[in-house]
Amino acid sequence: MAALTPLDGGGIKTSRASLIGGIAVAIGVFVLWVALARDLGAEGALPLALGALVAGGTGLWIWRADL
């Protein structure tokens, strides 16, 4: 019995649209993070650095998962 194989080789696709979407989501996540941090009274560089890490990770995931 023949096994089914994807036509594209099964690799993860990373299109330009997915890259732009990942960047847009990362910016949106960072803006929301900063707004929430200010609302909760968190000040300083640490909340911004954590927000940048979370936003970057989310944007990278969106880009690599081709969502």
Side-chain angles (χ1 to χ4, degrees):
M1 181 174 217
L4 295 176
T5 57
L7 295 176
D8 63 356
I12 295 175
K13 296 180 264 183
T14 52
S15 66
R16 174 171 275 185
S18 183
L19 175 64
I20 293 170
I23 292 170
V25 167
I27 291 170
V29 167
F30 185 70
V31 167
L32 290 174
W33 184 283
V34 170
L36 185 60
R38 286 188 180 178
D39 191 41
L40 293 174
E43 297 178 0
L46 184 61
L48 294 179
L50 288 174
L53 284 174
V54 169
T58 305
L60 181 64
W61 179 72
I62 293 291
W63 170 57
R64 293 298 292 172
D66 201 23
L67 298 176

Short mmCIF file of all heavy atoms in Angstrom, two decimals:
data_model
loop_
_atom_site.label_atom_id
_atom_site.label_comp_id
_atom_site.label_asym_id
_atom_site.label_seq_id
_atom_site.Cartn_x
_atom_site.Cartn_y
_atom_site.Cartn_z
N MET A 1 0.85 -1.17 0.00
CA MET A 1 0.00 0.00 0.00
C MET A 1 0.90 1.24 0.00
O MET A 1 1.85 1.34 0.77
CB MET A 1 -0.90 -0.03 1.22
CG MET A 1 -1.84 1.12 1.29
SD MET A 1 -2.95 0.87 2.68
CE MET A 1 -4.40 1.51 1.97
N ALA A 2 0.61 2.19 -0.84
CA ALA A 2 1.42 3.40 -0.98
C ALA A 2 1.08 4.39 0.14
O ALA A 2 -0.07 4.54 0.53
CB ALA A 2 1.17 4.05 -2.33
N ALA A 3 2.12 5.04 0.64
CA ALA A 3 1.92 6.04 1.68
C ALA A 3 1.59 7.39 1.05
O ALA A 3 2.08 7.71 -0.03
CB ALA A 3 3.18 6.17 2.53
N LEU A 4 0.76 8.15 1.71
CA LEU A 4 0.42 9.49 1.22
C LEU A 4 1.54 10.45 1.60
O LEU A 4 1.97 10.50 2.75
CB LEU A 4 -0.90 9.96 1.83
CG LEU A 4 -2.14 9.16 1.44
CD1 LEU A 4 -3.34 9.68 2.20
CD2 LEU A 4 -2.38 9.25 -0.05
N THR A 5 2.00 11.24 0.64
CA THR A 5 3.03 12.24 0.91
C THR A 5 2.54 13.59 0.43
O THR A 5 1.90 13.69 -0.62
CB THR A 5 4.36 11.89 0.20
OG1 THR A 5 4.10 11.78 -1.20
CG2 THR A 5 4.93 10.59 0.72
N PRO A 6 2.84 14.65 1.16
CA PRO A 6 2.43 15.99 0.72
C PRO A 6 3.13 16.39 -0.57
O PRO A 6 4.28 16.02 -0.81
CB PRO A 6 2.86 16.90 1.87
CG PRO A 6 3.18 16.01 3.01
CD PRO A 6 3.50 14.67 2.45
N LEU A 7 2.44 17.14 -1.40
CA LEU A 7 3.01 17.58 -2.67
C LEU A 7 4.16 18.57 -2.49
O LEU A 7 5.03 18.68 -3.33
CB LEU A 7 1.92 18.21 -3.55
CG LEU A 7 0.81 17.26 -4.00
CD1 LEU A 7 -0.24 18.04 -4.77
CD2 LEU A 7 1.37 16.14 -4.84
N ASP A 8 4.16 19.31 -1.38
CA ASP A 8 5.19 20.31 -1.15
C ASP A 8 6.38 19.76 -0.38
O ASP A 8 7.25 20.51 0.02
CB ASP A 8 4.61 21.53 -0.43
CG ASP A 8 4.09 21.19 0.95
OD1 ASP A 8 4.10 19.99 1.32
OD2 ASP A 8 3.67 22.11 1.67
N GLY A 9 6.44 18.48 -0.15
CA GLY A 9 7.55 17.89 0.57
C GLY A 9 7.35 17.86 2.08
O GLY A 9 8.17 17.33 2.81
N GLY A 10 6.28 18.44 2.57
CA GLY A 10 5.98 18.39 3.98
C GLY A 10 6.66 19.45 4.82
O GLY A 10 6.54 19.47 6.02
N GLY A 11 7.40 20.36 4.18
CA GLY A 11 8.09 21.40 4.94
C GLY A 11 7.16 22.51 5.37
O GLY A 11 6.05 22.66 4.87
N ILE A 12 7.60 23.28 6.34
CA ILE A 12 6.82 24.41 6.81
C ILE A 12 6.96 25.55 5.81
O ILE A 12 8.07 25.93 5.45
CB ILE A 12 7.28 24.86 8.21
CG1 ILE A 12 7.01 23.77 9.22
CG2 ILE A 12 6.60 26.15 8.62
CD1 ILE A 12 7.54 24.06 10.60
N LYS A 13 5.83 26.07 5.35
CA LYS A 13 5.86 27.18 4.40
C LYS A 13 5.96 28.49 5.17
O LYS A 13 5.31 28.67 6.19
CB LYS A 13 4.59 27.19 3.56
CG LYS A 13 4.45 25.98 2.67
CD LYS A 13 3.19 26.08 1.87
CE LYS A 13 2.13 25.29 2.60
NZ LYS A 13 0.86 25.24 1.92
N THR A 14 6.79 29.38 4.69
CA THR A 14 6.93 30.69 5.30
C THR A 14 6.80 31.74 4.20
O THR A 14 7.79 32.16 3.62
CB THR A 14 8.26 30.84 6.04
OG1 THR A 14 9.31 30.47 5.16
CG2 THR A 14 8.32 29.94 7.26
N SER A 15 5.59 32.13 3.93
CA SER A 15 5.33 33.07 2.85
C SER A 15 5.53 34.51 3.32
O SER A 15 5.64 34.79 4.51
CB SER A 15 3.91 32.89 2.33
OG SER A 15 2.99 33.25 3.33
N ARG A 16 5.58 35.41 2.36
CA ARG A 16 5.73 36.84 2.67
C ARG A 16 4.52 37.34 3.44
O ARG A 16 4.65 38.13 4.38
CB ARG A 16 5.91 37.64 1.40
CG ARG A 16 5.92 39.15 1.67
CD ARG A 16 6.29 39.90 0.47
NE ARG A 16 7.75 39.91 0.48
CZ ARG A 16 8.48 40.57 -0.39
NH1 ARG A 16 7.92 41.24 -1.35
NH2 ARG A 16 9.78 40.55 -0.32
N ALA A 17 3.33 36.88 3.08
CA ALA A 17 2.12 37.30 3.79
C ALA A 17 2.17 36.85 5.25
O ALA A 17 1.75 37.58 6.15
CB ALA A 17 0.88 36.73 3.10
N SER A 18 2.69 35.66 5.49
CA SER A 18 2.81 35.17 6.85
C SER A 18 3.83 35.99 7.64
O SER A 18 3.63 36.27 8.83
CB SER A 18 3.22 33.70 6.85
OG SER A 18 3.28 33.20 8.15
N LEU A 19 4.91 36.40 7.00
CA LEU A 19 5.91 37.25 7.65
C LEU A 19 5.30 38.60 8.04
O LEU A 19 5.47 39.06 9.16
CB LEU A 19 7.10 37.46 6.72
CG LEU A 19 8.18 38.43 7.21
CD1 LEU A 19 8.82 37.91 8.48
CD2 LEU A 19 9.21 38.67 6.13
N ILE A 20 4.57 39.20 7.12
CA ILE A 20 3.94 40.50 7.40
C ILE A 20 2.89 40.34 8.50
O ILE A 20 2.78 41.18 9.40
CB ILE A 20 3.32 41.09 6.11
CG1 ILE A 20 4.45 41.44 5.13
CG2 ILE A 20 2.45 42.30 6.41
CD1 ILE A 20 3.99 41.80 3.75
N GLY A 21 2.14 39.26 8.46
CA GLY A 21 1.16 39.00 9.51
C GLY A 21 1.82 38.81 10.86
O GLY A 21 1.33 39.29 11.89
N GLY A 22 2.95 38.10 10.89
CA GLY A 22 3.68 37.90 12.14
C GLY A 22 4.19 39.20 12.72
O GLY A 22 4.14 39.43 13.93
N ILE A 23 4.69 40.08 11.85
CA ILE A 23 5.17 41.39 12.30
C ILE A 23 4.02 42.21 12.85
O ILE A 23 4.14 42.85 13.91
CB ILE A 23 5.90 42.12 11.15
CG1 ILE A 23 7.21 41.40 10.83
CG2 ILE A 23 6.15 43.58 11.51
CD1 ILE A 23 7.88 41.88 9.56
N ALA A 24 2.89 42.20 12.15
CA ALA A 24 1.73 42.97 12.60
C ALA A 24 1.21 42.45 13.94
O ALA A 24 0.88 43.24 14.84
CB ALA A 24 0.62 42.90 11.55
N VAL A 25 1.17 41.15 14.10
CA VAL A 25 0.71 40.57 15.37
C VAL A 25 1.69 40.91 16.48
O VAL A 25 1.28 41.24 17.60
CB VAL A 25 0.53 39.04 15.24
CG1 VAL A 25 0.37 38.39 16.59
CG2 VAL A 25 -0.67 38.73 14.35
N ALA A 26 2.99 40.85 16.21
CA ALA A 26 4.00 41.19 17.22
C ALA A 26 3.86 42.64 17.68
O ALA A 26 3.93 42.93 18.88
CB ALA A 26 5.40 40.93 16.68
N ILE A 27 3.63 43.53 16.74
CA ILE A 27 3.44 44.94 17.11
C ILE A 27 2.18 45.11 17.95
O ILE A 27 2.19 45.81 18.97
CB ILE A 27 3.40 45.82 15.85
CG1 ILE A 27 4.77 45.87 15.18
CG2 ILE A 27 2.92 47.24 16.18
CD1 ILE A 27 4.79 46.50 13.81
N GLY A 28 1.11 44.45 17.55
CA GLY A 28 -0.14 44.53 18.30
C GLY A 28 0.00 43.97 19.71
O GLY A 28 -0.50 44.55 20.67
N VAL A 29 0.69 42.83 19.84
CA VAL A 29 0.89 42.23 21.16
C VAL A 29 1.71 43.16 22.04
O VAL A 29 1.41 43.35 23.22
CB VAL A 29 1.58 40.85 21.03
CG1 VAL A 29 2.09 40.35 22.37
CG2 VAL A 29 0.62 39.83 20.43
N PHE A 30 2.75 43.79 21.47
CA PHE A 30 3.59 44.68 22.26
C PHE A 30 2.81 45.92 22.71
O PHE A 30 2.93 46.35 23.86
CB PHE A 30 4.83 45.10 21.47
CG PHE A 30 5.78 45.93 22.28
CD1 PHE A 30 6.51 45.37 23.31
CD2 PHE A 30 5.96 47.27 22.01
CE1 PHE A 30 7.39 46.12 24.06
CE2 PHE A 30 6.83 48.04 22.75
CZ PHE A 30 7.55 47.46 23.78
N VAL A 31 2.00 46.47 21.84
CA VAL A 31 1.20 47.64 22.21
C VAL A 31 0.22 47.29 23.32
O VAL A 31 0.07 48.04 24.29
CB VAL A 31 0.45 48.20 20.96
CG1 VAL A 31 -0.62 49.20 21.36
CG2 VAL A 31 1.44 48.83 19.99
N LEU A 32 -0.44 46.15 23.21
CA LEU A 32 -1.36 45.72 24.27
C LEU A 32 -0.62 45.44 25.57
O LEU A 32 -1.11 45.75 26.66
CB LEU A 32 -2.14 44.49 23.82
CG LEU A 32 -3.16 44.72 22.72
CD1 LEU A 32 -3.76 43.40 22.27
CD2 LEU A 32 -4.24 45.67 23.19
N TRP A 33 0.57 44.86 25.48
CA TRP A 33 1.39 44.59 26.67
C TRP A 33 1.73 45.89 27.39
O TRP A 33 1.61 45.99 28.61
CB TRP A 33 2.65 43.84 26.28
CG TRP A 33 3.51 43.44 27.44
CD1 TRP A 33 4.35 44.25 28.16
CD2 TRP A 33 3.61 42.16 28.02
NE1 TRP A 33 4.97 43.54 29.15
CE2 TRP A 33 4.52 42.24 29.09
CE3 TRP A 33 3.01 40.93 27.75
CZ2 TRP A 33 4.86 41.15 29.87
CZ3 TRP A 33 3.35 39.84 28.53
CH2 TRP A 33 4.25 39.96 29.58
N VAL A 34 2.18 46.89 26.62
CA VAL A 34 2.55 48.18 27.22
C VAL A 34 1.33 48.84 27.86
O VAL A 34 1.41 49.37 28.97
CB VAL A 34 3.21 49.10 26.18
CG1 VAL A 34 3.38 50.51 26.71
CG2 VAL A 34 4.55 48.52 25.75
N ALA A 35 0.19 48.80 27.18
CA ALA A 35 -1.03 49.40 27.73
C ALA A 35 -1.44 48.71 29.02
O ALA A 35 -1.80 49.37 30.00
CB ALA A 35 -2.16 49.32 26.70
N LEU A 36 -1.37 47.39 29.05
CA LEU A 36 -1.73 46.66 30.25
C LEU A 36 -0.73 46.91 31.38
O LEU A 36 -1.13 47.07 32.54
CB LEU A 36 -1.83 45.16 29.94
CG LEU A 36 -2.30 44.26 31.07
CD1 LEU A 36 -3.70 44.66 31.50
CD2 LEU A 36 -2.29 42.82 30.62
N ALA A 37 0.55 46.95 31.05
CA ALA A 37 1.56 47.21 32.07
C ALA A 37 1.38 48.60 32.69
O ALA A 37 1.49 48.76 33.91
CB ALA A 37 2.96 47.09 31.45
N ARG A 38 1.09 49.59 31.87
CA ARG A 38 0.86 50.93 32.40
C ARG A 38 -0.40 50.98 33.25
O ARG A 38 -0.44 51.66 34.27
CB ARG A 38 0.76 51.94 31.27
CG ARG A 38 2.10 52.24 30.66
CD ARG A 38 2.01 53.37 29.69
NE ARG A 38 3.33 53.63 29.13
CZ ARG A 38 3.57 54.53 28.21
NH1 ARG A 38 2.58 55.27 27.76
NH2 ARG A 38 4.78 54.69 27.75
N ASP A 39 -1.43 50.26 32.83
CA ASP A 39 -2.67 50.24 33.59
C ASP A 39 -2.47 49.58 34.96
O ASP A 39 -3.09 49.97 35.94
CB ASP A 39 -3.75 49.50 32.80
CG ASP A 39 -5.13 49.66 33.39
OD1 ASP A 39 -5.45 50.79 33.80
OD2 ASP A 39 -5.88 48.67 33.42
N LEU A 40 -1.60 48.57 35.01
CA LEU A 40 -1.33 47.88 36.26
C LEU A 40 -0.26 48.57 37.10
O LEU A 40 0.03 48.12 38.21
CB LEU A 40 -0.92 46.43 35.98
CG LEU A 40 -2.01 45.54 35.38
CD1 LEU A 40 -1.44 44.18 35.03
CD2 LEU A 40 -3.18 45.41 36.33
N GLY A 41 0.33 49.63 36.58
CA GLY A 41 1.31 50.40 37.34
C GLY A 41 2.72 49.86 37.26
O GLY A 41 3.57 50.26 38.06
N ALA A 42 3.00 48.96 36.34
CA ALA A 42 4.37 48.43 36.18
C ALA A 42 5.20 49.47 35.43
O ALA A 42 4.84 49.90 34.34
CB ALA A 42 4.34 47.12 35.43
N GLU A 43 6.31 49.87 36.04
CA GLU A 43 7.18 50.88 35.43
C GLU A 43 8.58 50.33 35.28
O GLU A 43 8.97 49.39 35.97
CB GLU A 43 7.20 52.14 36.30
CG GLU A 43 5.86 52.82 36.42
CD GLU A 43 5.91 54.04 37.32
OE1 GLU A 43 7.00 54.35 37.84
OE2 GLU A 43 4.86 54.67 37.51
N GLY A 44 9.33 50.94 34.39
CA GLY A 44 10.72 50.55 34.21
C GLY A 44 10.95 49.78 32.92
O GLY A 44 10.04 49.58 32.10
N ALA A 45 12.18 49.34 32.78
CA ALA A 45 12.58 48.65 31.55
C ALA A 45 12.20 47.17 31.56
O ALA A 45 12.04 46.58 30.49
CB ALA A 45 14.08 48.80 31.36
N LEU A 46 12.09 46.56 32.72
CA LEU A 46 11.80 45.13 32.79
C LEU A 46 10.46 44.76 32.16
O LEU A 46 10.41 43.82 31.35
CB LEU A 46 11.88 44.63 34.23
CG LEU A 46 11.68 43.13 34.42
CD1 LEU A 46 12.76 42.35 33.67
CD2 LEU A 46 11.69 42.77 35.88
N PRO A 47 9.37 45.45 32.47
CA PRO A 47 8.10 45.09 31.81
C PRO A 47 8.15 45.28 30.28
O PRO A 47 7.56 44.49 29.54
CB PRO A 47 7.08 46.04 32.43
CG PRO A 47 7.66 46.43 33.73
CD PRO A 47 9.13 46.44 33.52
N LEU A 48 8.88 46.30 29.82
CA LEU A 48 9.00 46.51 28.38
C LEU A 48 9.84 45.40 27.73
O LEU A 48 9.53 44.94 26.64
CB LEU A 48 9.61 47.88 28.10
CG LEU A 48 8.77 49.09 28.50
CD1 LEU A 48 9.51 50.38 28.19
CD2 LEU A 48 7.42 49.06 27.82
N ALA A 49 10.91 44.99 28.42
CA ALA A 49 11.74 43.91 27.88
C ALA A 49 10.97 42.60 27.82
O ALA A 49 11.06 41.86 26.83
CB ALA A 49 13.00 43.76 28.73
N LEU A 50 10.20 42.32 28.87
CA LEU A 50 9.37 41.11 28.86
C LEU A 50 8.32 41.17 27.76
O LEU A 50 8.05 40.18 27.08
CB LEU A 50 8.71 40.90 30.21
CG LEU A 50 9.62 40.46 31.35
CD1 LEU A 50 8.85 40.45 32.67
CD2 LEU A 50 10.21 39.10 31.07
N GLY A 51 7.74 42.35 27.57
CA GLY A 51 6.76 42.53 26.51
C GLY A 51 7.37 42.33 25.13
O GLY A 51 6.75 41.74 24.24
N ALA A 52 8.60 42.81 24.96
CA ALA A 52 9.29 42.62 23.67
C ALA A 52 9.57 41.14 23.42
O ALA A 52 9.42 40.66 22.28
CB ALA A 52 10.58 43.43 23.64
N LEU A 53 9.94 40.41 24.45
CA LEU A 53 10.18 38.97 24.29
C LEU A 53 8.89 38.21 23.96
O LEU A 53 8.88 37.36 23.06
CB LEU A 53 10.79 38.39 25.57
CG LEU A 53 12.26 38.69 25.81
CD1 LEU A 53 12.68 38.18 27.18
CD2 LEU A 53 13.10 38.05 24.73
N VAL A 54 7.83 38.54 24.66
CA VAL A 54 6.55 37.87 24.39
C VAL A 54 6.05 38.22 22.99
O VAL A 54 5.61 37.34 22.24
CB VAL A 54 5.50 38.26 25.46
CG1 VAL A 54 4.11 37.80 25.06
CG2 VAL A 54 5.90 37.68 26.81
N ALA A 55 6.13 39.49 22.62
CA ALA A 55 5.67 39.92 21.29
C ALA A 55 6.52 39.29 20.19
O ALA A 55 5.99 38.82 19.18
CB ALA A 55 5.71 41.43 21.19
N GLY A 56 7.83 39.26 20.39
CA GLY A 56 8.71 38.65 19.40
C GLY A 56 8.45 37.16 19.24
O GLY A 56 8.41 36.64 18.13
N GLY A 57 8.25 36.48 20.36
CA GLY A 57 7.95 35.05 20.29
C GLY A 57 6.63 34.76 19.62
O GLY A 57 6.51 33.83 18.82
N THR A 58 5.64 35.58 19.91
CA THR A 58 4.33 35.40 19.28
C THR A 58 4.40 35.67 17.78
O THR A 58 3.85 34.92 16.98
CB THR A 58 3.28 36.32 19.94
OG1 THR A 58 3.27 36.07 21.34
CG2 THR A 58 1.91 36.10 19.36
N GLY A 59 5.08 36.74 17.41
CA GLY A 59 5.23 37.05 15.98
C GLY A 59 6.01 35.98 15.24
O GLY A 59 5.66 35.61 14.11
N LEU A 60 7.06 35.45 15.87
CA LEU A 60 7.84 34.38 15.25
C LEU A 60 7.00 33.13 15.08
O LEU A 60 7.06 32.46 14.04
CB LEU A 60 9.07 34.09 16.12
CG LEU A 60 10.02 33.02 15.61
CD1 LEU A 60 10.64 33.47 14.28
CD2 LEU A 60 11.11 32.75 16.63
N TRP A 61 6.17 32.83 16.08
CA TRP A 61 5.31 31.65 15.99
C TRP A 61 4.29 31.81 14.86
O TRP A 61 4.04 30.88 14.10
CB TRP A 61 4.61 31.41 17.32
CG TRP A 61 3.70 30.23 17.28
CD1 TRP A 61 4.06 28.92 17.24
CD2 TRP A 61 2.28 30.26 17.25
NE1 TRP A 61 2.93 28.13 17.20
CE2 TRP A 61 1.84 28.93 17.20
CE3 TRP A 61 1.34 31.29 17.26
CZ2 TRP A 61 0.49 28.60 17.17
CZ3 TRP A 61 0.01 30.96 17.22
CH2 TRP A 61 -0.41 29.63 17.18
N ILE A 62 3.70 32.99 14.75
CA ILE A 62 2.73 33.25 13.68
C ILE A 62 3.39 33.09 12.31
O ILE A 62 2.84 32.48 11.40
CB ILE A 62 2.12 34.67 13.82
CG1 ILE A 62 1.26 34.77 15.07
CG2 ILE A 62 1.33 35.07 12.58
CD1 ILE A 62 -0.01 33.96 15.03
N TRP A 63 4.61 33.60 12.18
CA TRP A 63 5.32 33.52 10.90
C TRP A 63 5.68 32.08 10.56
O TRP A 63 5.43 31.61 9.46
CB TRP A 63 6.58 34.38 10.96
CG TRP A 63 7.49 34.19 9.79
CD1 TRP A 63 7.17 34.37 8.48
CD2 TRP A 63 8.85 33.81 9.81
NE1 TRP A 63 8.27 34.11 7.68
CE2 TRP A 63 9.30 33.77 8.48
CE3 TRP A 63 9.73 33.49 10.85
CZ2 TRP A 63 10.61 33.42 8.16
CZ3 TRP A 63 11.03 33.16 10.51
CH2 TRP A 63 11.45 33.12 9.18
N ARG A 64 6.26 31.35 11.50
CA ARG A 64 6.71 29.99 11.22
C ARG A 64 5.54 29.01 11.06
O ARG A 64 5.64 28.05 10.31
CB ARG A 64 7.64 29.49 12.33
CG ARG A 64 8.95 30.21 12.41
CD ARG A 64 9.77 30.06 11.17
NE ARG A 64 10.21 28.69 11.04
CZ ARG A 64 10.81 28.21 9.98
NH1 ARG A 64 11.06 28.99 8.96
NH2 ARG A 64 11.18 26.96 9.92
N ALA A 65 4.44 29.25 11.78
CA ALA A 65 3.30 28.34 11.68
C ALA A 65 2.46 28.66 10.44
O ALA A 65 1.55 27.91 10.11
CB ALA A 65 2.43 28.44 12.94
N ASP A 66 2.77 29.76 9.76
CA ASP A 66 2.08 30.18 8.54
C ASP A 66 0.59 30.34 8.80
O ASP A 66 -0.24 29.84 8.07
CB ASP A 66 2.33 29.20 7.41
CG ASP A 66 2.09 29.82 6.05
OD1 ASP A 66 2.16 31.06 5.95
OD2 ASP A 66 1.84 29.08 5.09
N LEU A 67 0.27 31.06 9.89
CA LEU A 67 -1.13 31.28 10.25
C LEU A 67 -1.66 32.53 9.59
O LEU A 67 -0.98 33.45 9.33
CB LEU A 67 -1.27 31.40 11.77
CG LEU A 67 -0.85 30.17 12.54
CD1 LEU A 67 -0.93 30.44 14.03
CD2 LEU A 67 -1.71 28.98 12.19
#
